[in-house]
Amino acid sequence: MSGESGQPQPGPSHAGLYLEHRERDKAGVPGGVIRRADSQRRRSWIQKVIEQITGSPRQCVTLSEVVPVTVLAVQRYLLEDEPRDTVPKPPLYCYDVTISDGVYQEKCYLDPSLNFLVYQNILKVGIEMRISRVSCLYNEKRLGQGILCIDKVHCGEPLDVISVETPFRNRAHEEKPERPLRGGKSHYLALWNNEDPYGDIWKTNKQPEEFNFNNIKIISLSHLELTWNSRKNFPALLVRVLHKSKLRYYGKPNKKMIEPYQTYLEVADSSGMVSVILWNTLCPEWYKSLRVGLILLLQDYTVKKSYPLRIQPDPVDPQMKLISTMEICLNLRDPPTNIVIIPEKQLKSEWKLPKLINRFITRSELDDMPENSICDVIGLLSFVGRVQRSKKKENSEDFWSYRWIHISDGTSEQPFIVQLFSTSQPEVFENIYPMTYFVCTQLKVVRNNSQVPKLLYLTTTNESRVLTTGGHRGQPYTYDPKAKKIIQWIKTKTNLEAKNTVIGGYYPYPPVPETFSKYSRFIKAESLLTTISEVKKVIEDLQYREQKRIAIQGIITAIKYIPYNHSAGSAPAPEAFWNASHPSTSQAAGKEDHCHERGSKRSQDDRPMGSQHFQYTPMVLSLCAKRKILQGPSANPVPVPQPYSSAQMKGSKHNIPSRESSTAYATGKSRRIINDRWESRLWRDKKFSLRDHLHYGHVDPESIPRKFILEHEKFLTQQFNSQPAKYIPPEGKPPKLDEFQSALSLGHFEVTILGLNHEIAIDVAFLPMYSPEDVQASQIDTFLTCMNFSCVCPPEAPGSGRLPDPKALAGDIVKAAADLDRVHIIGILDICNLGNNKVEVCLQKIYTPE
């Protein structure tokens, strides 16, 4: 529903707006929690709203009394069985919002025109919200069926204390399995992606059971391959699961499918390996119970010709035959498939089922692995990044969820760098933290040796599975020689090493190539360069935790060093973001209430603010190990001084003074340096006559990597996960994120880039890593060395055992930027929406065009 129409809408398949439960059974409370006695003495605001809307003939009511309510759940689903022509270009997904007034809970339908509040993580669980206009949606085919629709809302700050003990006013909202208010027989999806199983439709109760094989005829896979076309009935299959894919959700509007899911198993017997597909309702029934390594007896299946475009994973055993001409189909109906998990103790040698084999490699072996190789890794997590998202397709509502992690195994100073996408294991993906014993299978090698810095990392595939502490017992790999050696190494780790692990923060990977020509090879021509005036639109289009990399042209006209302050917060409270105007000199700076109503466009005040982008550029691969500078055909790396050397960079166009020549900077006619800041004469002349000035140079607490503390692992893990769909009560009084020590010793820099036409400027953040304990060391170059050296740390003074003063190093970085006065540069920016109108914009690399 959209617009201001008050007409009844086809709607709910569940709910009952007018089913009043004033004398509710006290035991009928979610989770069996008895509601508080004081709730009986207060009148429910929700109940009063229901009564008010009942007496309104227009079914759309501006409420006379607006009181704060608490958001307890925000749940997403595909809208099915609804006319799609009533609203032009309706959104693919809808949201139900569960609120509490302290007496009752009520599940409400969020008008689709307000969906952007969820996209931006403004409307989220745990906040205080004021609803000022509501309407009623009816299903005219049902008696008394109506739901409450939120049409105008004001979202406030997160609450410190939230009661979850209130019951639902409508008993239908407590039914299991939990179903959406609209959408026929649809079900809830995970809030931020479609790969993760979510909700109570997903069963976990399938267990191995002793089976009597008398009178059971079993056929081998190779024999079935030869005869399936001429058979009507298929004998049973006895196989072992070698691989299990993540879930694929293929639901679409107007397609009346119950649980439209699909997943692949790669199963094998002594004669070969074949793909098995689980369809639809069978996925919620079986997916979470089927593990790699299980023995399955499959009966009443169907066989079809395999899908030609799908690439099967190769068998680990090179002697095993890959059967790619057919696929085994399992469905709950037509015919109803019979699946039995056979206990391992019932395994007979004459079955000759293959053993589960892993392809473990060590970090020292990774350097020699060819691109696209498949491998398994085992080790200790030393860094766990925040959850991020990327669009599956342009203009799509579907996203991938992923995070960057580091795995150490003791065979190299360098860790495995892994891009870990969601593997349909949310119970693992959302609960990993440093110092965890970690296994990840079916990883693909990504490398580019011609790039500087060299590109080398691992990424998950469709069949990747993750196991962590608590899930290793009984796994065959615990007997693998490589795994056993690494396990022994893990046991030797000390508490001191644990203190050097890191969680969260912005992670600028993969690195940008050393030349703009190499960078441009992977970008579409029409989106290669973005004007500074278009950056605002790019930011507005990003959704929560979505990250995008763009290139802009301009001139660096100012830089300011901002030291890290552990005791002070880095960002204003969320409400300040809400009420502040968009960070632009072209807009008013006054504060306004942050209200949203049905059918209204997103206002200027709802645009994300510059949330201090913190470019976390980890820079210590090996302390002060310089990399050779490569000059490209279409762009040249900008030269900068070595912090504690007067030597100039080879091939440089500019003469870079040493540290001793800082006086020349201070007395130069065209630029001015005062220790930790510099601005050019061009900036002094232009900054007050700009058409617009975008301020995105700050650093949000979420962007800073934190030293991991095991005692606070739950809090830290939650901070860097995605926002949950349901409110999770904290254990005791939670700390504040900025109370945790930064993994960085150096602060950040605010860099001002003026557009080539001198009409618009943008402040962006640059934050170099400066720490001898940097466990996020990787092949990422830095602004200090124009992204062509791998560290910012100068050599330690002989015998001192200490690194130079961060302030001195900051001064060198400022002087390096000053040398770029009036030089046209191409800046590579990483932009990420942090939610709640906060955004980080980070300078990742700079080029100078020829």
Side-chain angles (χ1 to χ4, degrees):
M1 187 184 75
S2 182
E4 295 298 327
S5 172
Q7 297 302 312
Q9 300 293 317
S13 52
H14 308 280
L17 187 61
Y18 306 115
L19 296 177
E20 299 185 15
H21 298 286
R22 298 182 180 178
E23 300 299 329
R24 289 284 309 274
D25 179 3
K26 294 183 181 180
V29 180
V33 180
I34 304 301
R35 63 181 169 188
R36 294 197 218 169
D38 63 355
S39 68
Q40 300 279 355
R41 296 193 293 267
R42 289 195 294 129
R43 180 80 190 279
S44 167
W45 177 83
I46 290 174
Q47 186 65 49
K48 286 191 282 187
V49 170
I50 298 298
E51 294 171 359
Q52 187 176 353
I53 198 172
T54 302
S56 173
R58 298 179 60 188
Q59 298 152 349
C60 185
V61 174
T62 298
L63 301 176
S64 57
E65 180 188 7
V66 178
V67 303
V69 295
T70 304
V71 179
L72 297 181
V74 179
Q75 295 171 288
R76 182 178 68 107
Y77 57 99
L78 183 73
L79 187 60
E80 301 170 354
D81 295 332
E82 301 281 352
R84 308 293 290 181
D85 55 355
T86 58
V87 180
K89 295 183 179 179
L92 190 61
Y93 302 105
C94 293
Y95 297 90
D96 289 343
V97 179
T98 302
I99 61 173
S100 171
D101 63 2
V103 179
Y104 285 131
Q105 293 183 37
E106 185 78 9
K107 187 181 290 186
C108 308
Y109 174 70
L110 184 70
D111 187 271
S113 65
L114 300 180
N115 280 5
F116 76 92
L117 294 173
V118 181
Y119 299 159
Q120 304 296 329
N121 198 38
I122 295 171
L123 201 170
K124 57 185 178 181
V125 299
I127 66 167
E128 182 181 83
M129 184 170 72
R130 286 176 169 83
I131 303 168
S132 55
R133 191 163 69 213
V134 298
S135 59
C136 177
L137 292 176
Y138 288 102
N139 185 339
E140 295 181 351
K141 292 184 178 181
R142 296 170 181 260
L143 290 174
Q145 292 290 311
I147 58 176
L148 195 63
C149 175
I150 299 174
D151 293 330
K152 187 175 182 180
V153 68
H154 174 280
C155 298
E157 296 184 19
L159 296 170
D160 293 330
V161 179
I162 295 176
S163 172
V164 295
E165 299 177 0
T166 52
F168 278 100
R169 183 197 63 85
N170 185 345
R171 189 181 293 273
H173 295 168
E174 298 176 343
E175 293 177 356
K176 303 295 181 182
E178 192 176 18
R179 296 291 186 182
L181 292 176
R182 304 179 70 184
K185 296 181 179 180
S186 64
H187 61 287
Y188 287 119
L189 302 167
L191 186 56
W192 303 112
N193 66 52
N194 288 343
E195 283 68 46
D196 289 342
Y198 172 82
D200 50 15
I201 67 169
W202 297 89
K203 309 300 182 184
T204 58
N205 59 349
K206 308 296 183 182
Q207 299 296 329
E209 56 186 80
E210 292 281 348
F211 188 82
N212 185 354
F213 283 90
N214 294 337
N215 302 319
I216 293 293
K217 184 178 180 181
I218 295 176
I219 187 172
S220 70
L221 292 175
S222 60
H223 190 195
L224 182 63
E225 180 188 25
L226 297 174
T227 61
W228 72 271
N229 270 317
S230 59
R231 289 178 177 270
K232 291 185 178 179
N233 298 308
F234 304 108
L237 294 173
L238 185 64
V239 293
R240 187 185 295 278
V241 180
L242 299 186
H243 299 293
K244 173 184 171 182
S245 77
K246 60 186 173 187
L247 286 166
R248 174 178 171 260
Y249 177 76
Y250 62 94
K252 293 182 179 179
N254 298 330
K255 288 195 174 182
K256 299 180 181 180
M257 283 192 170
I258 302 175
E259 284 105 37
Y261 286 96
Q262 176 199 74
T263 191
Y264 278 86
L265 303 176
E266 304 302 323
V267 302
D269 62 11
S270 60
S271 66
M273 184 178 84
V274 73
S275 296
V276 171
I277 314 174
L278 272 71
W279 289 97
N280 303 331
T281 309
L282 208 60
C283 288
E285 187 76 17
W286 278 93
Y287 184 81
K288 297 188 79 170
S289 298
L290 295 178
R291 294 182 288 102
V292 171
L294 289 180
I295 302 171
L296 302 181
L297 181 70
L298 305 178
Q299 302 175 84
D300 302 320
Y301 54 88
T302 58
V303 184
K304 70 179 184 69
K305 188 177 180 180
S306 60
Y307 183 60
L309 298 181
R310 180 176 181 267
I311 300 176
Q312 284 179 268
D314 293 325
V316 178
D317 184 355
Q319 305 301 318
M320 183 178 291
K321 178 183 178 182
L322 181 63
I323 300 173
S324 57
T325 57
M326 67 175 186
E327 292 177 338
I328 311 299
C329 297
L330 308 181
N331 213 324
L332 201 61
R333 297 186 295 273
D334 304 324
T337 298
N338 185 4
I339 304 174
V340 179
I341 302 176
I342 305 299
E344 193 71 26
K345 64 182 180 182
Q346 200 176 351
L347 175 66
K348 297 181 180 179
S349 58
E350 57 265 29
W351 293 349
K352 298 181 180 179
L353 292 182
K355 294 182 179 180
L356 195 62
I357 305 174
N358 288 94
R359 287 181 278 209
F360 285 116
I361 66 164
T362 64
R363 179 58 183 85
S364 60
E365 295 171 333
L366 178 62
D367 293 331
D368 300 321
M369 295 285 290
E371 187 177 9
N372 295 324
S373 299
I374 300 297
C375 61
D376 305 332
V377 300
I378 182 172
L380 194 68
L381 285 174
S382 54
F383 164 67
V384 176
R386 71 185 179 202
V387 176
Q388 298 180 171
R389 302 164 72 220
S390 60
K391 274 194 174 80
K392 293 184 177 181
K393 295 179 182 178
E394 196 67 29
N395 301 319
S396 169
E397 290 189 48
D398 294 329
F399 287 79
W400 301 112
S401 293
Y402 69 95
R403 67 198 319 166
W404 291 96
I405 62 174
H406 284 189
I407 306 172
S408 301
D409 68 358
T411 67
S412 170
E413 292 183 359
Q414 307 307 322
F416 291 105
I417 301 175
V418 180
Q419 188 178 24
L420 182 68
F421 285 88
S422 171
T423 58
S424 299
Q425 298 172 276
E427 67 283 357
V428 177
F429 186 79
E430 297 173 0
N431 290 285
I432 59 175
Y433 51 86
M435 294 306 293
T436 299
Y437 169 21
F438 195 81
V439 172
C440 194
T441 65
Q442 290 295 110
L443 293 168
K444 183 174 70 174
V445 177
V446 180
R447 72 182 312 140
N448 183 351
N449 292 335
S450 65
Q451 174 180 318
V452 175
K454 289 183 179 179
L455 185 68
L456 179 60
Y457 68 95
L458 302 172
T459 186
T460 47
T461 62
N462 198 46
E463 291 78 27
S464 291
R465 309 306 294 165
V466 172
L467 296 101
T468 186
T469 300
H472 303 293
R473 180 172 296 179
Q475 295 293 333
Y477 59 73
T478 55
Y479 301 99
D480 182 280
K482 284 184 180 179
K484 289 174 70 174
K485 188 174 181 180
I486 293 170
I487 292 169
Q488 290 301 315
W489 172 81
I490 291 173
K491 292 179 179 178
T492 65
K493 296 296 96 185
T494 65
N495 292 333
L496 179 61
E497 289 164 314
K499 291 180 181 178
N500 294 336
T501 57
V502 176
I503 187 168
Y506 171 69
Y507 186 69
Y509 208 85
V512 180
E514 76 278 11
T515 66
F516 187 66
S517 61
K518 289 185 178 181
Y519 171 84
S520 60
R521 290 175 194 170
F522 305 100
I523 309 295
K524 293 180 181 179
E526 61 271 18
S527 57
L528 180 58
L529 288 170
T530 302
T531 67
I532 295 180
S533 61
E534 292 172 334
V535 172
K536 192 186 300 184
K537 181 64 167 61
V538 172
I539 290 171
E540 291 172 3
D541 290 342
L542 291 180
Q543 294 195 26
Y544 174 58
R545 289 281 180 86
E546 182 184 359
Q547 185 164 310
K548 190 170 186 177
R549 182 169 285 175
I550 63 172
I552 64 170
Q553 294 188 86
I555 303 166
I556 294 179
T557 54
I559 184 171
K560 178 171 63 175
Y561 173 60
I562 301 172
Y564 172 66
N565 185 355
H566 177 65
S567 60
S570 303
E575 189 72 20
F577 282 114
W578 275 64
N579 293 334
S581 63
H582 185 261
S584 169
T585 56
S586 63
Q587 298 172 14
K591 295 185 177 182
E592 298 179 14
D593 285 337
H594 195 73
C595 295
H596 307 278
E597 57 185 291
R598 181 179 69 186
S600 64
K601 293 184 179 180
R602 188 179 177 188
S603 67
Q604 295 279 15
D605 296 310
D606 302 328
R607 293 172 179 171
M609 289 196 66
S611 95
Q612 321 173 178
H613 184 121
F614 136 75
Q615 168 166 9
Y616 169 62
T617 317
M619 318 179 172
V620 193
L621 232 184
S622 57
L623 287 181
C624 308
K626 299 172 192 164
R627 283 212 176 90
K628 183 179 179 181
I629 301 173
L630 298 182
Q631 302 290 349
S634 61
N636 297 321
V638 182
V640 272
Q642 300 178 34
Y644 285 77
S645 170
S646 60
Q648 297 178 1
M649 290 166 48
K650 185 178 179 181
S652 170
K653 294 180 181 179
H654 309 279
N655 293 325
I656 313 299
S658 67
R659 188 177 182 187
E660 289 75 18
S661 59
S662 60
T663 305
Y665 281 97
T667 59
K669 295 182 179 180
S670 65
R671 52 195 168 191
R672 179 176 60 189
I673 297 178
I674 306 175
N675 296 326
D676 58 356
R677 65 187 64 198
W678 163 80
E679 64 177 26
S680 68
R681 173 173 292 176
L682 175 63
W683 180 241
R684 296 198 298 273
D685 293 341
K686 298 293 183 180
K687 63 182 176 179
F688 296 114
S689 59
L690 296 174
R691 178 166 54 86
D692 207 354
H693 187 182
L694 308 178
H695 301 281
Y696 296 106
H698 303 289
V699 174
D700 190 81
E702 182 189 305
S703 300
I704 300 176
R706 306 285 172 174
K707 290 196 173 184
F708 180 69
I709 300 175
L710 185 60
E711 291 78 4
H712 295 283
E713 56 93 1
K714 282 191 176 181
F715 171 80
L716 290 170
T717 301
Q718 289 174 358
Q719 290 297 305
F720 295 109
N721 277 335
S722 299
Q723 187 73 28
K726 290 189 175 182
Y727 177 72
I728 303 171
E731 297 179 359
K733 184 179 179 181
K736 301 293 184 183
L737 184 58
D738 54 14
E739 295 173 1
F740 289 85
Q741 185 179 354
S742 168
L744 310 175
S745 300
L746 198 62
H748 72 281
F749 295 84
E750 186 177 289
V751 181
T752 301
I753 301 175
L754 180 66
L756 298 181
N757 293 319
H758 300 179
E759 295 179 335
I760 188 169
I762 184 172
D763 295 337
V764 298
F766 168 68
L767 191 124
M769 170 60 72
Y770 173 61
S771 171
E773 301 169 348
D774 173 28
V775 297
Q776 296 191 52
S778 62
Q779 297 145 327
I780 299 176
D781 293 332
T782 71
F783 172 76
L784 170 67
T785 56
C786 296
M787 320 313 176
N788 287 291
F789 292 126
S790 63
C791 77
V792 299
C793 299
E796 295 181 4
S800 70
R802 294 185 302 170
L803 291 169
D805 181 12
K807 291 184 179 180
L809 185 56
D812 290 318
I813 295 177
V814 170
K815 290 195 289 286
D819 191 68
L820 303 179
D821 189 14
R822 295 186 180 272
V823 175
H824 286 194
I825 61 101
I826 298 173
I828 307 300
L829 305 181
D830 280 346
I831 304 175
C832 184
N833 184 329
L834 299 178
N836 201 22
N837 280 342
K838 296 185 292 183
V839 65
E840 58 185 23
V841 182
C842 160
L843 182 61
Q844 159 77 307
K845 193 176 185 74
I846 56 175
Y847 301 106
T848 53
E850 291 184 338

